[in-house]
Amino acid sequence: MLFRSFETHFYVEKGKKASLIISDIQGRTLHRQTITGQGFHKERINLAGKASGMIIIQLHSDKGVQSKKINVAR
């Protein structure tokens, strides 16, 4: 079985809300998660069967949007 997973690290201020959105290069949402801030976060994301190639990780919070592109290999 092939697993396509990765770990992402980010900071959300305690008690604040944020959204973690993973999408493919065509803009299709692969994963969406609401985060309640606790400071430093470490999340494991599993995209098995959903995507390979370039994906975009976005963190939407009251401080704006942070984004990162990564390549998920087969």
Side-chain angles (χ1 to χ4, degrees), residues 35-71:
I35 306 290
T36 300
Q38 298 177 354
F40 183 74
H41 289 259
K42 178 170 58 172
E43 298 288 333
R44 173 145 308 271
I45 308 296
N46 185 350
L47 297 179
K50 294 184 181 179
S52 62
M54 189 68 64
I55 63 167
I56 301 166
I57 304 167
Q58 294 182 321
L59 182 66
H60 296 252
S61 70
D62 63 346
K63 297 198 183 254
V65 178
Q66 299 174 36
S67 63
K68 179 87 172 178
K69 290 182 185 177
I70 66 169
N71 192 22

Side-chain angles (χ1 to χ4, degrees), residues 17-34:
K17 297 286 185 186
S19 295
L20 181 65
I21 301 169
I22 314 296
S23 57
D24 65 14
I25 202 74
Q26 289 83 26
R28 294 180 293 228
T29 300
L30 304 172
H31 177 86
R32 181 182 296 263
Q33 182 176 347
T34 301

Side-chain angles (χ1 to χ4, degrees), residues 4-15:
R4 286 189 271 289
S5 65
F6 60 92
E7 195 168 85
T8 184
H9 304 257
F10 53 89
Y11 181 88
V12 178
E13 191 175 328
K14 188 172 183 175

